[in-house]
Amino acid sequence: MIQAKGYAAAIAKAPLAPFQFDRRDAKEEDVVIDIQYCGICHSDIHQARDEWGGSIFPMVPGHEITGVVSKVGSKVTKFKVGDKVGVGCFVDSCRECEHCKAGLEQFCETGMSATYNGREQDRKTPTYGGYSNKIVVDQNYVLRIPDNLPLDAAAPLLCAGITLYSPLAHWKAGPGKKVAIIGLGGLGHMGVKIAHALGAEVTVLSQSNKKEADAKRLGADHFYATSEKSTFSKLRGSFDLIINTVSMPLDWNAYLSLLRVDGSMVVVGVPEEQVPIGAFSLIGGRKSLAGSLIGGIAETQEMLDFCGKHNITSDIELIPIQKVNDAYERVVKSDVRYRFVIDIATLN
């Protein structure tokens, strides 16, 4: 076994604290990664506080992991010691179902193995995430980080980046398409950067005007405050694609009115409450309401390569791991622009 250390939540809603645990030694197809950085995702907070139910404790959160390969198993062919790599939201899947074979491992029929707060494919061994100094992952679930991307600012690409890239690519955002991003936070700011790089005309829909300058800096062509009554009448029937990144309850019917005929609104934020939808919001324009969940391994690598080509990273605030609990409170208050990343070198 490999001795590891990190920060963990011992029980639901407990502050994260130092924690020592064991990782498995490298099997023949495993890669051992010395973690250098790990992003903080809002889902880390939901799960550490058991707000979605079913959390497994003790929990070491973190699924936006970047680092350097320190050891490889005897049959590893994809990586070598010294490579810059990443690990995203899952570390294994069944590999046999139709979705896994199609490169959609996130929809594995028997359940992917989440990077943390999950179980290995034996359905017994708990997984521990990236708020730690080392991780051991099968080579087929490890991503290569482009050389030109700094590991700290690239870390959030492993969740926030793919969460936005996947629907933008699937619904074919690009030249001639009008795309709206609802919310300019950790997810939304990545959506603006990626949609802009894809060549779409990008609009940010935010509650107030306070982030307008940031939106334009990130690549938005237009910005509208949704608190202004005229916004929804002015933009009615404007967009081919809307990506909703917001986890707070919104009037989805109002936003569906902003779609063109055959337009789609894709949900990637997860409100805690059910959101009512009127049938006429959809049938009056052959509109679609859809959802999207991260991406498979191949698509995540495609996203990383795309970001490398276009020099896209996340806007981050780098923190020592001792500040993680403060960072959680600030995320809840939307007091970060736009993603916290933990410097694992500060783990004593």
Side-chain angles (χ1 to χ4, degrees):
M1 303 295 283
I2 297 173
Q3 290 188 332
K5 57 185 178 179
Y7 267 51
I11 58 173
K13 297 180 174 60
L16 273 65
F19 177 64
Q20 295 196 359
F21 61 103
D22 290 330
R23 301 278 194 191
R24 69 171 184 266
D25 202 1
K27 295 184 285 190
E28 56 188 16
E29 295 219 11
D30 282 340
V31 174
V32 182
I33 301 166
D34 287 346
I35 300 173
Q36 293 190 359
Y37 301 98
C38 186
I40 293 177
C41 181
H42 204 145
S43 61
D44 298 348
I45 302 171
H46 287 306
Q47 293 179 84
R49 296 178 176 178
D50 199 20
E51 292 172 346
W52 291 343
S55 291
I56 303 167
F57 296 98
M59 182 192 300
V60 178
H63 58 205
E64 297 180 340
I65 299 167
T66 56
V68 175
V69 175
S70 60
K71 183 180 179 181
V72 296
S74 60
K75 292 188 177 180
V76 172
T77 58
K78 297 181 178 180
F79 302 97
K80 65 182 185 304
V81 172
D83 283 349
K84 294 169 56 177
V85 295
V87 178
C89 298
F90 57 94
V91 291
D92 208 346
S93 63
C94 81
R95 314 185 193 200
E96 297 296 329
C97 72
E98 63 172 313
H99 303 310
C100 285
K101 289 180 177 179
L104 297 170
E105 298 94 341
Q106 75 272 33
F107 302 127
C108 176
E109 290 180 3
T110 60
M112 64 182 180
S113 293
T115 301
Y116 73 91
N117 193 31
R119 305 278 184 189
E120 299 279 4
Q121 287 296 296
D122 63 8
R123 306 302 174 195
K124 297 178 182 178
T125 307
T127 55
Y128 296 116
Y131 297 8
S132 58
N133 63 333
K134 292 180 181 292
I135 193 167
V136 183
V137 182
D138 185 287
Q139 65 172 338
N140 295 296
Y141 295 80
V142 177
L143 290 309
R144 187 176 301 279
I145 305 296
D147 288 338
N148 63 308
L149 299 184
L151 288 179
D152 53 357
L157 299 179
L158 277 303
C159 177
I162 186 58
T163 294
L164 273 296
Y165 179 87
S166 185
L168 287 167
H170 183 79
W171 275 271
K172 299 182 174 16
K177 293 291 184 70
K178 293 187 176 182
V179 175
I181 305 292
I182 305 175
L184 192 66
L187 293 177
H189 94 288
M190 292 306 311
V192 172
K193 291 187 178 190
I194 292 169
H196 174 74
L198 286 166
E201 183 178 333
V202 185
T203 297
V204 170
L205 303 174
S206 187
Q207 188 174 14
S208 71
N209 286 313
K210 65 182 181 180
K211 293 182 179 179
E212 182 172 4
D214 261 9
K216 298 290 181 66
R217 174 181 62 82
L218 295 167
D221 299 287
H222 312 288
F223 184 99
Y224 291 91
T226 56
S227 57
E228 296 180 2
K229 293 181 179 180
S230 61
T231 292
F232 287 91
S233 57
K234 185 183 302 183
L235 297 179
R236 187 177 183 85
S238 293
F239 302 109
D240 301 289
L241 178 64
I242 298 173
I243 309 291
N244 181 6
T245 73
V246 177
S247 296
M248 300 297 291
L250 295 177
D251 182 357
W252 287 2
N253 297 291
Y255 286 91
L256 286 166
S257 74
L258 305 184
L259 289 172
R260 291 176 166 177
V261 171
D262 287 330
S264 298
M265 184 167 85
V266 183
V267 177
V268 297
V270 184
E272 293 183 19
E273 302 172 8
Q274 298 296 313
V275 179
I277 293 293
F280 284 107
S281 297
L282 297 171
I283 65 176
R286 201 164 59 187
K287 299 169 184 177
S288 298
L289 176 64
S292 183
L293 176 68
I294 52 174
I297 294 297
E299 188 177 43
T300 305
Q301 188 63 62
E302 177 185 299
M303 175 274 304
L304 288 167
D305 295 340
F306 177 87
C307 289
K309 179 180 178 181
H310 294 276
N311 290 304
I312 294 173
T313 54
S314 182
D315 284 25
I316 67 167
E317 182 175 334
L318 192 63
I319 62 165
I321 199 165
Q322 294 79 11
K323 297 285 188 180
V324 66
N325 293 301
D326 294 336
Y328 273 24
E329 296 305 320
R330 288 180 57 193
V331 169
V332 171
K333 296 175 182 176
S334 299
D335 180 25
V336 57
R337 295 198 179 178
Y338 282 95
R339 207 76 168 179
F340 283 116
V341 172
I342 299 168
D343 182 355
I344 300 300
T346 60
L347 180 61
N348 296 321

